[in-house]
Amino acid sequence: MPNKLSILGLAGSLRQGSYNRAILRAAKELTPPEAELTIFDLEGLPLFNQDLEQQPTEKVQAYKAALRAADAILIATPEYNYSIPGVLKNALDVASRPYGDNALDGKPAAIMGASPGLLGTARSQYHLRQSCVFLNLHLLNRPEVMVAHAHEKVDAQGRVTDATTREKIAELVQALVVWTRKLQG
Ligand code: FNR
């Protein structure tokens, strides 16, 4: 029986009622028994300032340690102005610095996103994929989980109620587990 895989989940929204936090919680519930998903809250991560990169705050240290300890990363991204929100871009920048100390280097990863709009974060997900190239994250290509009309799929308690969405999220987490085992050899 191989070791349990640890997946670290990041949501690019600080909003209490966030749809992206909701799909990440659903991913945690739907993670198969051979893995465990822990959500890292980006609240309190400082804005990246290169002058201060050699003096990381406690939050930054905890964040980078959690990334390093994880076997794989799962990112839930909103779409802001056709791209990823500053919260998420900042989190990626913080993770990647100082130069030569990229906590994401070589990690298997998967992405998903939710929006009340028609395209379910398709545009932001492709921008995110571009940044992941330089971060040297090994991103899963499919399934693509783009949750459109998210307000109809998440209830007032922040639970994903739509069966098809839950199936797609479960499929993604399962595929991430297989992908991670494959990359670990
Ligand atoms: C948005 N929203 C949005 N939605 C979308 O599908 N495409 C977009 O380009 C944008 N742009 C955008 C910009 C800004 C500044 C805000 C605040 C919002 C709407 C967005 O999808 C919606 O607020 C989601 O609820 C954000 O995700 P969370 O917070 O629910 O996870």
Side-chain angles (χ1 to χ4, degrees):
M1 178 79 176
N3 288 343
K4 223 174 202 202
L5 285 185
S6 59
I7 303 173
L8 194 76
L10 304 174
S13 173
L14 305 180
R15 200 169 74 82
Q16 279 311 305
S18 161
Y19 300 125
N20 286 280
R21 287 162 85 120
I23 60 172
L24 202 54
R25 286 193 300 272
K28 183 177 167 72
E29 288 165 24
L30 296 163
T31 295
E34 65 204 279
E36 188 171 15
L37 195 156
T38 306
I39 297 174
F40 188 92
D41 193 347
L42 297 177
E43 179 75 57
L45 203 64
L47 279 181
F48 180 75
N49 177 345
Q50 202 172 357
D51 290 337
L52 303 176
E53 67 178 356
Q54 302 293 348
Q55 297 106 45
T57 65
E58 274 182 26
K59 179 78 182 188
V60 171
Q61 290 178 46
Y63 171 56
K64 291 187 74 171
L67 292 173
R68 285 222 158 82
D71 293 306
I73 312 293
L74 177 61
I75 301 174
T77 183
E79 181 169 289
Y80 275 13
N81 298 313
Y82 285 13
S83 189
I84 65 173
V87 164
L88 179 58
K89 183 59 166 61
N90 183 62
L92 297 178
D93 295 342
V94 169
S96 69
R97 287 281 161 161
Y99 183 75
D101 190 38
N102 173 11
L104 294 166
D105 190 27
K107 295 275 176 193
I111 65 175
M112 60 183 179
S115 158
L118 277 181
L119 295 184
T121 72
R123 291 162 294 218
S124 66
Q125 287 197 35
Y126 289 118
H127 275 191
L128 178 55
R129 282 187 181 274
Q130 185 175 328
S131 289
C132 290
V133 173
F134 190 63
L135 291 163
N136 198 32
L137 276 167
H138 298 307
L139 269 202
L140 191 66
N141 283 330
R142 64 172 81 102
E144 292 188 308
V145 178
M146 296 167 173
V147 183
H149 298 139
H151 54 296
E152 295 168 4
K153 296 170 180 165
V154 176
D155 70 14
Q157 284 70 47
R159 185 177 155 78
V160 178
T161 48
D162 181 66
T164 309
T165 302
R166 293 184 72 82
E167 266 169 39
K168 291 305 282 187
I169 293 170
E171 216 182 291
L172 181 73
V173 183
Q174 181 59 47
L176 178 60
V177 168
V178 171
W179 177 233
T180 303
R181 295 254 187 248
K182 193 185 266 188
L183 290 178
Q184 286 179 340

Short mmCIF file of all heavy atoms in Angstrom, two decimals, residues 13 15 17-21 78-83 114-118 120-121 123, ligand 1:
data_model
loop_
_atom_site.label_atom_id
_atom_site.label_comp_id
_atom_site.label_asym_id
_atom_site.label_seq_id
_atom_site.Cartn_x
_atom_site.Cartn_y
_atom_site.Cartn_z
N SER A 13 -9.22 33.43 -3.92
CA SER A 13 -10.23 34.39 -3.47
C SER A 13 -10.23 34.44 -1.95
O SER A 13 -10.14 33.40 -1.30
CB SER A 13 -11.62 33.98 -3.96
OG SER A 13 -12.61 34.83 -3.39
N ARG A 15 -12.78 35.96 -0.42
CA ARG A 15 -14.20 36.24 -0.14
C ARG A 15 -14.80 35.09 0.68
O ARG A 15 -14.64 33.93 0.33
CB ARG A 15 -14.92 36.36 -1.49
CG ARG A 15 -16.23 37.07 -1.49
CD ARG A 15 -16.65 37.32 -2.93
NE ARG A 15 -17.11 36.13 -3.63
CZ ARG A 15 -18.32 35.61 -3.54
NH1 ARG A 15 -19.23 36.18 -2.78
NH2 ARG A 15 -18.65 34.53 -4.23
N GLY A 17 -17.89 34.07 0.92
CA GLY A 17 -18.83 33.25 0.14
C GLY A 17 -18.28 32.80 -1.20
O GLY A 17 -19.05 32.48 -2.12
N SER A 18 -16.97 32.74 -1.31
CA SER A 18 -16.30 32.45 -2.59
C SER A 18 -16.72 31.10 -3.20
O SER A 18 -16.71 30.06 -2.53
CB SER A 18 -14.79 32.43 -2.34
OG SER A 18 -14.12 31.76 -3.38
N TYR A 19 -17.05 31.14 -4.48
CA TYR A 19 -17.36 29.91 -5.21
C TYR A 19 -16.10 29.05 -5.37
O TYR A 19 -16.17 27.82 -5.42
CB TYR A 19 -17.95 30.22 -6.59
CG TYR A 19 -19.21 31.03 -6.51
CD1 TYR A 19 -19.34 32.24 -7.18
CD2 TYR A 19 -20.30 30.58 -5.74
CE1 TYR A 19 -20.51 32.99 -7.08
CE2 TYR A 19 -21.46 31.33 -5.63
CZ TYR A 19 -21.56 32.54 -6.31
OH TYR A 19 -22.70 33.28 -6.20
N ASN A 20 -14.96 29.71 -5.46
CA ASN A 20 -13.72 28.95 -5.64
C ASN A 20 -13.29 28.27 -4.34
O ASN A 20 -12.78 27.14 -4.37
CB ASN A 20 -12.63 29.86 -6.22
CG ASN A 20 -12.93 30.11 -7.68
OD1 ASN A 20 -12.64 29.27 -8.53
ND2 ASN A 20 -13.57 31.24 -7.98
N ARG A 21 -13.54 28.94 -3.23
CA ARG A 21 -13.31 28.25 -1.96
C ARG A 21 -14.29 27.09 -1.85
O ARG A 21 -13.94 26.03 -1.31
CB ARG A 21 -13.46 29.23 -0.79
CG ARG A 21 -12.28 30.20 -0.69
CD ARG A 21 -12.60 31.43 0.14
NE ARG A 21 -12.41 31.26 1.55
CZ ARG A 21 -11.57 31.98 2.30
NH1 ARG A 21 -10.83 32.92 1.75
NH2 ARG A 21 -11.48 31.78 3.57
N PRO A 78 -10.53 32.09 -9.43
CA PRO A 78 -11.57 32.93 -10.03
C PRO A 78 -11.04 33.54 -11.33
O PRO A 78 -9.87 33.37 -11.67
CB PRO A 78 -11.79 34.03 -8.98
CG PRO A 78 -11.13 33.57 -7.73
CD PRO A 78 -10.01 32.67 -8.17
N GLU A 79 -11.93 34.25 -12.03
CA GLU A 79 -11.50 35.05 -13.19
C GLU A 79 -11.80 36.51 -12.88
O GLU A 79 -12.94 36.85 -12.58
CB GLU A 79 -12.24 34.60 -14.45
CG GLU A 79 -11.80 35.40 -15.68
CD GLU A 79 -12.32 34.78 -16.97
OE1 GLU A 79 -11.85 33.70 -17.35
OE2 GLU A 79 -13.23 35.38 -17.56
N TYR A 80 -10.75 37.34 -12.91
CA TYR A 80 -10.90 38.79 -12.72
C TYR A 80 -10.40 39.47 -14.00
O TYR A 80 -9.23 39.31 -14.37
CB TYR A 80 -10.03 39.28 -11.57
CG TYR A 80 -10.63 39.16 -10.16
CD1 TYR A 80 -11.76 38.40 -9.90
CD2 TYR A 80 -10.02 39.81 -9.10
CE1 TYR A 80 -12.27 38.31 -8.61
CE2 TYR A 80 -10.53 39.73 -7.82
CZ TYR A 80 -11.65 38.98 -7.58
OH TYR A 80 -12.14 38.90 -6.30
N ASN A 81 -11.27 40.19 -14.65
CA ASN A 81 -10.87 40.94 -15.85
C ASN A 81 -10.11 40.06 -16.83
O ASN A 81 -9.02 40.39 -17.31
CB ASN A 81 -10.07 42.19 -15.45
CG ASN A 81 -10.92 43.11 -14.61
OD1 ASN A 81 -12.07 43.39 -14.97
ND2 ASN A 81 -10.41 43.57 -13.48
N TYR A 82 -10.68 38.90 -17.08
CA TYR A 82 -10.17 37.92 -18.05
C TYR A 82 -8.84 37.30 -17.64
O TYR A 82 -8.13 36.73 -18.48
CB TYR A 82 -10.02 38.53 -19.45
CG TYR A 82 -11.31 38.73 -20.21
CD1 TYR A 82 -12.53 38.64 -19.58
CD2 TYR A 82 -11.29 39.03 -21.58
CE1 TYR A 82 -13.71 38.84 -20.28
CE2 TYR A 82 -12.45 39.22 -22.29
CZ TYR A 82 -13.67 39.13 -21.63
OH TYR A 82 -14.82 39.33 -22.35
N SER A 83 -8.46 37.42 -16.36
CA SER A 83 -7.19 36.82 -15.95
C SER A 83 -7.33 36.31 -14.51
O SER A 83 -8.43 36.26 -13.98
CB SER A 83 -6.06 37.84 -16.08
OG SER A 83 -4.81 37.22 -15.87
N ALA A 114 -14.25 28.61 -10.86
CA ALA A 114 -15.70 28.82 -10.86
C ALA A 114 -16.02 30.29 -11.01
O ALA A 114 -15.36 31.15 -10.42
CB ALA A 114 -16.30 28.30 -9.55
N SER A 115 -17.04 30.56 -11.81
CA SER A 115 -17.48 31.94 -12.04
C SER A 115 -18.99 31.94 -12.28
O SER A 115 -19.53 30.97 -12.83
CB SER A 115 -16.76 32.48 -13.28
OG SER A 115 -17.47 33.55 -13.84
N PRO A 116 -19.67 33.02 -11.90
CA PRO A 116 -21.09 33.11 -12.25
C PRO A 116 -21.29 33.29 -13.75
O PRO A 116 -22.39 33.13 -14.26
CB PRO A 116 -21.57 34.35 -11.50
CG PRO A 116 -20.44 34.83 -10.68
CD PRO A 116 -19.20 34.17 -11.14
N GLY A 117 -20.22 33.61 -14.47
CA GLY A 117 -20.32 33.89 -15.91
C GLY A 117 -20.46 32.62 -16.74
O GLY A 117 -20.53 31.50 -16.23
N LEU A 118 -20.48 32.86 -18.06
CA LEU A 118 -20.74 31.78 -19.04
C LEU A 118 -19.58 30.84 -19.25
O LEU A 118 -19.77 29.68 -19.60
CB LEU A 118 -21.04 32.43 -20.40
CG LEU A 118 -22.44 32.92 -20.70
CD1 LEU A 118 -22.47 33.49 -22.11
CD2 LEU A 118 -23.42 31.74 -20.58
N GLY A 120 -16.95 30.12 -17.13
CA GLY A 120 -16.42 29.35 -15.99
C GLY A 120 -14.92 29.46 -15.79
O GLY A 120 -14.28 28.46 -15.46
N THR A 121 -14.37 30.65 -15.98
CA THR A 121 -12.93 30.94 -15.75
C THR A 121 -11.99 30.40 -16.84
O THR A 121 -10.78 30.31 -16.61
CB THR A 121 -12.39 30.46 -14.37
OG1 THR A 121 -12.28 29.02 -14.36
CG2 THR A 121 -13.27 30.92 -13.21
N ARG A 123 -10.78 31.76 -19.45
CA ARG A 123 -9.70 32.69 -19.83
C ARG A 123 -8.65 32.78 -18.73
O ARG A 123 -7.44 32.78 -19.01
CB ARG A 123 -10.29 34.08 -20.15
CG ARG A 123 -11.13 34.07 -21.42
CD ARG A 123 -12.05 35.27 -21.51
NE ARG A 123 -13.07 35.24 -20.48
CZ ARG A 123 -14.34 35.63 -20.65
NH1 ARG A 123 -14.74 36.07 -21.82
NH2 ARG A 123 -15.19 35.59 -19.65
C1 FNR B 1 -15.08 39.70 -11.76
N1 FNR B 1 -15.84 38.68 -12.27
C2 FNR B 1 -15.54 38.14 -13.50
N2 FNR B 1 -16.12 36.96 -13.94
C3 FNR B 1 -15.77 36.41 -15.13
O1 FNR B 1 -16.28 35.35 -15.49
N3 FNR B 1 -14.86 37.02 -15.93
C4 FNR B 1 -14.23 38.18 -15.57
O2 FNR B 1 -13.41 38.67 -16.31
C5 FNR B 1 -14.58 38.77 -14.32
N4 FNR B 1 -13.98 39.92 -13.90
C6 FNR B 1 -14.14 40.34 -12.60
C7 FNR B 1 -13.33 41.36 -12.10
C8 FNR B 1 -13.41 41.72 -10.77
C9 FNR B 1 -12.50 42.78 -10.22
C10 FNR B 1 -14.35 41.08 -9.94
C11 FNR B 1 -14.46 41.46 -8.46
C12 FNR B 1 -15.17 40.11 -10.42
C13 FNR B 1 -16.88 38.05 -11.45
C14 FNR B 1 -16.28 36.92 -10.64
O3 FNR B 1 -16.28 35.74 -11.42
C15 FNR B 1 -17.12 36.71 -9.38
O4 FNR B 1 -17.00 37.85 -8.54
C16 FNR B 1 -16.73 35.45 -8.62
O5 FNR B 1 -17.67 35.23 -7.61
C17 FNR B 1 -15.32 35.56 -8.03
O6 FNR B 1 -14.89 34.33 -7.50
P1 FNR B 1 -15.15 33.91 -5.98
O7 FNR B 1 -14.75 35.06 -5.09
O8 FNR B 1 -16.62 33.62 -5.88
O9 FNR B 1 -14.33 32.70 -5.77
#
